[in-house]
């Protein structure tokens, strides 16, 4: 019997549309003889929808399309969907595995993982804590610093602190020296990012970034650098590394267009780099995966400073766009990659279920707790 896979995509995130594209790619690559898929669209307002033709991009290009609003519930240790109104029977069958292909704040940040942990579902991605840490550039940097992995020098700023004393904060940031790069803390896909080469540009970049997030970081902008990506697939506590990719752009940093409109950037897979640098990237990726307890597929983005011969971890994506399948293609087909991901999630859930999650006591029958 085929396993039924609920694929979650969408969400209240600035990367909503990228998530839809990721789902469409996965729906076309998954082995339909082995898996029955149930696409579940998470709207920008937090509702779950199912419906016909969800594996077609043109469905989501319409302002309105046929759908049924649903809720999740557990029955007889099986995850199911219920309709707020009428729901056809084909949508009500048990779901074996939840495969999330969501990106960005409010979904990839552990929110969705926590929701499905409460429902005791099999979830094919990072658990709550790693996902939450990795969504925050500040917490990711602090963790990297703690384990001795280089990260680009930065200052973290909250909106309230900046409103209270912007002059002092600007002066502190200028200790990094220009140019600088300003980023929202919890966004991805290069959204909300600007370069500052003087104080006026720095002020404007900070104000712009605060439109997207309550916390931002200001980093030193590298001058002579290369950008590399590598994905990691976790299976039973072991890690499979993808090829290393080098990404080049004529822009001062990798923009949203560079990431999702291929004509604006060039990619070399595998990267044409020295054995020593490739070895360092591989070693660092394994360290990152182990220290952050990554599950599922993640992608690690690197910046290599040629002047100082230093490799920096720039960002770690717990659910990368398209599951970074293209980085594995020389080793594992997209179809097989999805299969490995699903089977690893099932085995991980089996191990989790062996843990003791309850404790019987006489606390509720004790009257002493009620005495003043």
């Amino acid at each position: 019997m085929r396993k039924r896979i609920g694929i979650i995509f969408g969400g209240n995130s600035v990367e909503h549309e990228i998530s839809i594209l990721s789902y469409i790619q996965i729906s076309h690559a998954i082995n339909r003889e082995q898996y029955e898929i149930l696409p579940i669209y998470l709207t920008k307002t937090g509702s779950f929808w199912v419906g016909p033709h969800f594996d077609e991009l043109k469905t989501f290009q319409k302002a309105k399309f046929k759908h049924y609003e649903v809720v999740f519930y557990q029955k007889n240790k099986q995850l199911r969907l219920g309709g707020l109104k009428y729901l056809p029977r084909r949508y009500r069958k048990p779901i074996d595995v939840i495969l999330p292909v969501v990106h960005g704040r409010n979904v990839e940040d552990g929110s969705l993982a926590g929701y499905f942990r409460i429902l005791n579902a099999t979830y094919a991605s990072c658990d709550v804590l790693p996902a939450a840490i990795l969504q925050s550039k500040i917490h990711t940097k602090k963790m990297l610093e703690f384990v001795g992995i280089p990260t680009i020098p930065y200052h973290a700023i909250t909106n309230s602190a900046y409103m209270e004393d912007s002059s002092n904060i600007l002066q502190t940031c200028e200790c990094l020296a220009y140019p600088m790069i300003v980023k929202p803390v919890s966004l991805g896909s290069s959204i909300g990012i600007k370069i500052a080469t003087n104080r006026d540009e720095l002020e404007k970049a900070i104000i712009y970034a605060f439109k997207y997030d309550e916390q931002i970081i200001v980093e030193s902008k590298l001058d002579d650098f290369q950008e590399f990506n590598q994905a990691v697939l976790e299976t039973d506590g072991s890690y499979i590394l993808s090829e290393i990719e080098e990404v080049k752009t004529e822009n001062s940093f990798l923009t949203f267009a560079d990431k999702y409109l291929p004509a604006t950037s060039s990619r070399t897979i595998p990267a044409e780099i020295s054995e020593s640098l490739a070895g360092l990237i591989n070693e660092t990726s394994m360290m990152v995966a182990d220290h952050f307890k990554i599950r599922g597929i993640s992608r690690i983005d690197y910046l290599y400073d040629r002047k100082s011969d230093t490799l920096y971890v720039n960002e770690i994506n717990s659910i990368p766009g398209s599951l970074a399948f293209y980085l594995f293609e020389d080793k594992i087909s997209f179809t097989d990659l999805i299969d490995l991901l699903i089977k690893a999630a099932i085995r991980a859930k089996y191990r989790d279920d062996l843990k003791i999650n309850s404790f019987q006591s006489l606390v509720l029958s004790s009257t002493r707790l009620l005495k003043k």
Side-chain angles (χ1 to χ4, degrees):
M1 182 180 294
R2 293 187 299 169
K3 293 285 186 184
R4 198 159 193 247
I5 313 301
I7 306 180
I8 309 285
F9 60 102
N12 180 21
S13 165
V14 294
E15 298 174 78
H16 181 98
E17 286 73 18
I18 303 305
S19 174
I20 293 173
L21 295 177
S22 291
Y23 161 69
I24 297 295
Q25 289 177 305
I26 290 165
S27 71
H28 291 168
I30 196 168
N31 186 340
R32 298 294 184 112
E33 293 182 0
Q34 194 168 359
Y35 301 110
E36 176 188 354
I37 71 166
L38 175 62
I40 304 166
Y41 174 58
L42 178 55
T43 71
K44 291 183 178 181
T45 56
S47 298
F48 290 105
W49 292 359
V50 295
H53 311 301
F54 273 23
D55 57 351
E56 298 176 13
L57 182 59
K58 63 182 181 182
T59 298
F60 301 96
Q61 293 170 335
K62 302 173 184 177
K64 294 182 179 180
F65 49 89
K66 186 175 181 179
H67 67 273
Y68 305 95
E69 188 169 352
V70 295
V71 293
F72 289 90
Y73 69 98
Q74 274 275 357
K75 183 177 181 180
N76 299 326
K77 296 185 178 181
Q78 293 179 320
L79 185 67
R80 295 175 179 268
L81 291 178
L84 294 186
K85 295 181 180 178
Y86 168 73
L87 183 65
R89 179 176 295 179
R90 65 181 179 275
Y91 298 114
R92 289 187 267 144
K93 294 187 292 183
I95 300 169
D96 296 298
V97 178
I98 291 293
L99 174 56
V101 285
V102 291
H103 310 308
R105 187 175 57 203
N106 302 321
V107 277
E108 188 182 357
D109 59 0
S111 301
L112 202 62
Y115 176 73
F116 284 107
R117 175 164 279 279
I118 291 171
L119 287 167
N120 197 32
T122 302
Y123 188 77
S125 189
C126 278
D127 208 344
V128 181
L129 182 58
I133 291 172
L134 294 175
Q135 191 63 37
S136 166
K137 292 178 176 64
I138 293 174
H139 289 90
T140 298
K141 281 178 173 289
K142 289 184 181 297
M143 184 79 163
L144 291 169
E145 290 168 345
F146 180 76
V147 298
I149 297 174
T151 181
I152 294 173
Y154 70 100
H155 285 299
I157 309 171
T158 63
N159 198 353
S160 58
Y162 186 75
M163 294 293 289
E164 185 176 323
D165 191 0
S166 61
S167 178
N168 186 51
I169 286 175
L170 289 168
Q171 189 173 351
T172 301
C173 289
E174 287 176 326
C175 293
L176 295 173
Y178 293 104
M180 303 176 205
I181 185 165
V182 182
K183 305 175 180 179
V185 161
S186 59
L187 269 66
S189 295
S190 298
I191 294 171
I193 294 178
K194 284 190 178 294
I195 302 293
T197 60
N198 54 53
R199 176 167 283 209
D200 181 58
E201 290 180 356
L202 179 60
E203 289 184 85
K204 290 178 180 177
I206 288 173
I207 292 170
Y208 177 71
F210 277 135
K211 291 180 179 180
Y212 291 92
D213 211 334
E214 280 297 303
Q215 284 187 300
I216 65 171
I217 59 170
V218 178
E219 290 181 333
S220 297
K221 172 72 171 64
L222 300 182
D223 178 36
D224 183 16
F225 68 96
Q226 292 172 274
E227 185 152 357
F228 303 106
N229 299 327
Q230 185 172 46
V232 181
L233 168 65
E234 183 272 338
T235 58
D236 304 320
S238 298
Y239 302 104
I240 299 172
L241 298 179
S242 75
E243 295 284 4
I244 299 168
E245 167 192 40
E246 181 175 5
V247 186
K248 295 180 180 179
T249 176
E250 294 181 357
N251 297 307
S252 54
F253 66 95
L254 205 61
T255 65
F256 180 91
D258 290 330
K259 292 181 177 181
Y260 301 111
L261 301 175
T264 68
S265 63
S266 64
R267 298 172 181 269
T268 304
I269 307 173
E272 297 172 352
I273 54 178
S274 66
E275 288 186 13
S276 60
L277 181 54
L280 179 58
I281 292 173
N282 288 333
E283 180 184 353
T284 305
S285 293
M286 294 293 280
M287 289 176 62
V288 166
D290 183 55
H291 284 300
F292 284 91
K293 303 304 176 190
I294 283 172
R295 276 189 180 180
I297 297 172
S298 295
R299 193 191 71 237
I300 305 163
D301 301 345
Y302 293 97
L303 295 176
Y304 173 63
D305 186 356
R306 285 186 283 223
K307 285 185 177 180
S308 64
D309 188 29
T310 304
L311 180 70
Y312 295 105
V313 171
N314 185 42
E315 191 171 306
I316 307 166
N317 296 272
S318 63
I319 308 177
S322 307
L323 298 181
F325 76 90
Y326 60 94
L327 294 176
F328 289 97
E329 279 185 311
D330 286 349
K331 299 180 179 181
I332 308 168
S333 71
F334 195 5
T335 299
D336 289 342
L337 186 68
I338 297 169
D339 181 53
L340 287 171
L341 178 63
I342 291 170
K343 288 178 177 176
I346 292 170
R347 292 192 297 269
K349 181 62 168 63
Y350 173 78
R351 292 192 299 271
D352 286 347
D353 286 345
L354 295 177
K355 304 293 188 295
I356 297 173
N357 289 309
S358 62
F359 177 73
Q360 292 185 346
S361 73
L362 301 176
V363 169
L364 295 181
S365 62
S366 173
T367 57
R368 287 184 298 172
L369 293 175
L370 302 178
K371 295 179 180 179
K372 294 184 179 180

